[in-house]
Amino acid sequence: MNKKQAIATPSRTKEILEKFHLRAKKSLGQNFIIDTNILENIVRAGSVDKETTVIEIGPGIGALTEQIAKQAKEVFAFEIDGRLIPVLEDTLVDYSNITILHEDILKVDFEKFQKDHLTDLKRLVVIANLPYYITTPIVMHLIESSLPIEQMILMMQKEVAERLEAKPSTKEYGSLSIAIQAYMDVDIAFTVPRTVFMPQPNIESAIVRLKALDESPLQVKDESLFFKIMRASFAQRRKTIWNNLRRELDDKGKETLLREAFENSGIDPSRRGESLSIEDFGKLADALYDFGLRDF
Ligand code: SAM
C-alpha cells in the first residue's frame, strides 16, 4: 500500500516545489490543487472505475493524476512543461497504470495515439484541471478528434462554464454554447473556491461535465454553412440576424433571395441571434443552402 501523504496537500505541494526548485508558470496556467476532497469529487463525477481509461491534460505535479490512477484502469497524462516531467516521474513512481506524455495537447495526433495506446479500450473519459488560457481550443480539439470520448470532466473558469451551459435568450448564450451543445450534453457539476489552489487564481472556477450525445440536434445539409451563418448572426449581438447576415452577403444583389430564404425557413429575420436554438439555426442554414446562398 502507498502510505505517502497525497500530493494534493499544502505541505506536500510546497515540499515538491522546493525539492525541484520550481515556481508555477503563470503563462502556462499553472495553479496546482491542494485539496484531496475536491480531486476525489472530480474523479467521482466521471464515474471512473477499473474499466475506465482516462486522458488527463496538464498533470502539473501529479495531484489529480494520482487520484485518477487510484480508481482507473489506466491514465495517459499530457504535459507541455518539460520541467515537470522528472517531477511527475518522481511523485507518481508508485503507480504502474500512469503514462506521462511530454506533449502540447493541441498538437497531439489522436489517431496515432489511439492506435498506439487504446487497443483494449472499454470506456474513455477525459479529466482535467485545464490551463484556462486555452480552455476553448482544448475542448474543441477534443470534440473534433476521432477519439470515442464518453464524457469529459473539466475544471475551467466559471464564466466560460456558464457560456458552455447557456440556453437561448440569456446573456451567456452564444456561438460557443452552440458549438459545444451541438455534440455534448453540458452541466456544471459544482463550483470550486479559490482557496483550493496554489497559487490562488484571481478568478472563480467550476467543474463541467460534458457527455457525448447519442444523437446531435445538428442535422443539416451543410455543417460548415451552419457554423458560418451561426457565427455571423452573433457578430453584432444587438443587431437582428437579418442585418448581420445581409452584411456578410458577398453579392448585395442577392438580398431578395435572402429574404425568400428567411420566409422559407419560418425564422423571423427581425430576431436576434441569441434567441435562436440550434434547431432554428439549422432550419435557416438549410433554407439558405436550398436558395444557393452558401458564401458567407
Ligand atoms: N493537474 C494539476 C492540478 O490540478 O494541480 C495542474 C493543473 S494546471 C491548472 C494546468 C496544467 O496544464 C499545467 O501543468 C500546465 O503546465 C499544463 N499545460 C498548459 N498548457 C498545456 C498544453 N498546451 N498541453 C498540455 N499541458 C498544458
Side-chain angles (χ1 to χ4, degrees), residues 197-263:
F197 298 96
M198 184 188 285
Q200 284 188 24
N202 298 324
I203 45 171
E204 290 189 82
S205 302
I207 303 291
V208 179
R209 190 191 290 110
L210 300 162
K211 274 194 188 163
L213 290 167
D214 292 332
E215 202 184 338
S216 168
L218 181 55
Q219 306 288 343
V220 288
K221 295 176 179 167
D222 181 344
E223 273 199 19
S224 117
L225 177 62
F226 169 93
F227 282 106
K228 276 195 261 176
I229 68 130
M230 184 273 281
R231 293 210 165 93
S233 301
F234 285 106
Q236 301 204 345
R237 282 187 77 97
R238 301 180 61 80
K239 291 208 163 152
T240 61
I241 22 174
W242 170 261
N243 278 332
N244 271 321
L245 291 187
R246 195 186 49 174
R247 232 166 37 104
E248 293 289 322
L249 269 185
D250 55 335
D251 173 0
K252 300 298 175 216
K254 290 183 178 162
E255 230 179 88
T256 318
L257 219 50
L258 182 63
R259 198 163 285 285
E260 282 173 29
F262 261 103
E263 261 169 38

Side-chain angles (χ1 to χ4, degrees), residues 28-33 39 56-61 63-64 78-81 84 103-106 129-131 133-134:
L28 289 178
Q30 292 178 352
N31 299 93
F32 303 120
I33 296 189
L39 297 179
E56 190 198 358
I57 300 140
I61 60 169
L64 177 55
F78 292 92
E79 175 56 62
I80 197 172
D81 187 352
L84 297 174
E103 273 185 79
D104 176 347
I105 191 69
L106 295 177
N129 170 14
L130 288 174
Y133 72 108
I134 41 170

Side-chain angles (χ1 to χ4, degrees), residues 163-214:
R163 285 168 58 205
L164 295 195
E165 197 198 30
K167 296 284 170 259
S169 302
T170 61
K171 77 174 189 320
E172 291 80 16
Y173 183 70
S175 54
L176 181 61
S177 327
I178 293 178
I180 304 289
Q181 291 170 28
Y183 307 103
M184 313 295 278
D185 180 55
V186 185
D187 76 285
I188 296 182
F190 54 96
T191 54
V192 179
R194 293 163 206 222
T195 47
V196 307
F197 298 96
M198 184 188 285
Q200 284 188 24
N202 298 324
I203 45 171
E204 290 189 82
S205 302
I207 303 291
V208 179
R209 190 191 290 110
L210 300 162
K211 274 194 188 163
L213 290 167
D214 292 332

Side-chain angles (χ1 to χ4, degrees), residues 5-276:
Q5 196 188 14
I7 299 167
T9 57
S11 57
R12 180 107 195 271
T13 299
K14 260 193 211 135
E15 185 191 303
I16 293 167
L17 293 177
E18 274 165 22
K19 178 173 167 190
F20 289 90
H21 309 292
L22 277 174
R23 293 186 102 212
K25 257 195 199 168
K26 242 188 166 177
S27 62
L28 289 178
Q30 292 178 352
N31 299 93
F32 303 120
I33 296 189
I34 49 167
D35 183 318
T36 314
N37 281 329
I38 295 277
L39 297 179
E40 284 170 352
N41 288 340
I42 293 174
V43 177
R44 209 169 294 132
S47 310
V48 174
D49 60 16
K50 289 292 165 199
E51 304 224 307
T52 309
T53 297
V54 177
I55 291 178
E56 190 198 358
I57 300 140
I61 60 169
L64 177 55
T65 326
E66 173 180 59
Q67 298 306 324
I68 300 168
K70 284 185 182 169
Q71 310 301 331
K73 179 178 162 212
E74 55 185 342
V75 191
F76 295 94
F78 292 92
E79 175 56 62
I80 197 172
D81 187 352
R83 303 176 311 155
L84 297 174
I85 305 302
V87 182
L88 290 161
E89 279 162 5
D90 183 65
T91 58
L92 300 172
V93 67
D94 296 331
Y95 299 89
S96 57
N97 58 346
I98 299 175
T99 306
I100 303 292
L101 298 146
H102 179 203
E103 273 185 79
D104 176 347
I105 191 69
L106 295 177
K107 298 198 176 135
V108 176
D109 176 347
F110 285 121
E111 262 178 49
K112 182 173 184 319
F113 167 74
Q114 191 172 354
K115 263 192 220 130
D116 290 348
H117 297 287
L118 305 182
T119 42
D120 180 29
L121 186 68
K122 293 220 167 61
R123 182 168 180 259
L124 182 63
V125 171
V126 174
I127 300 186
N129 170 14
L130 288 174
Y132 292 176
Y133 72 108
I134 41 170
T135 298
T136 310
I138 291 178
V139 176
M140 291 315 297
H141 188 48
L142 290 165
I143 289 179
E144 285 161 7
S145 80
S146 54
L147 292 173
I149 299 168
E150 183 199 294
Q151 54 177 298
M152 307 196 228
I153 308 296
L154 304 176
M155 167 112 74
M156 61 183 71
Q157 191 177 340
K158 191 165 156 244
E159 283 84 48
V160 179
E162 287 167 351
R163 285 168 58 205
L164 295 195
E165 197 198 30
K167 296 284 170 259
S169 302
T170 61
K171 77 174 189 320
E172 291 80 16
Y173 183 70
S175 54
L176 181 61
S177 327
I178 293 178
I180 304 289
Q181 291 170 28
Y183 307 103
M184 313 295 278
D185 180 55
V186 185
D187 76 285
I188 296 182
F190 54 96
T191 54
V192 179
R194 293 163 206 222
T195 47
V196 307
F197 298 96
M198 184 188 285
Q200 284 188 24
N202 298 324
I203 45 171
E204 290 189 82
S205 302
I207 303 291
V208 179
R209 190 191 290 110
L210 300 162
K211 274 194 188 163
L213 290 167
D214 292 332
E215 202 184 338
S216 168
L218 181 55
Q219 306 288 343
V220 288
K221 295 176 179 167
D222 181 344
E223 273 199 19
S224 117
L225 177 62
F226 169 93
F227 282 106
K228 276 195 261 176
I229 68 130
M230 184 273 281
R231 293 210 165 93
S233 301
F234 285 106
Q236 301 204 345
R237 282 187 77 97
R238 301 180 61 80
K239 291 208 163 152
T240 61
I241 22 174
W242 170 261
N243 278 332
N244 271 321
L245 291 187
R246 195 186 49 174
R247 232 166 37 104
E248 293 289 322
L249 269 185
D250 55 335
D251 173 0
K252 300 298 175 216
K254 290 183 178 162
E255 230 179 88
T256 318
L257 219 50
L258 182 63
R259 198 163 285 285
E260 282 173 29
F262 261 103
E263 261 169 38
N264 211 267
S265 73
I267 305 291
D268 180 349
S270 67
R271 287 169 67 179
R272 287 186 185 157
E274 65 192 34
S275 78
L276 269 69

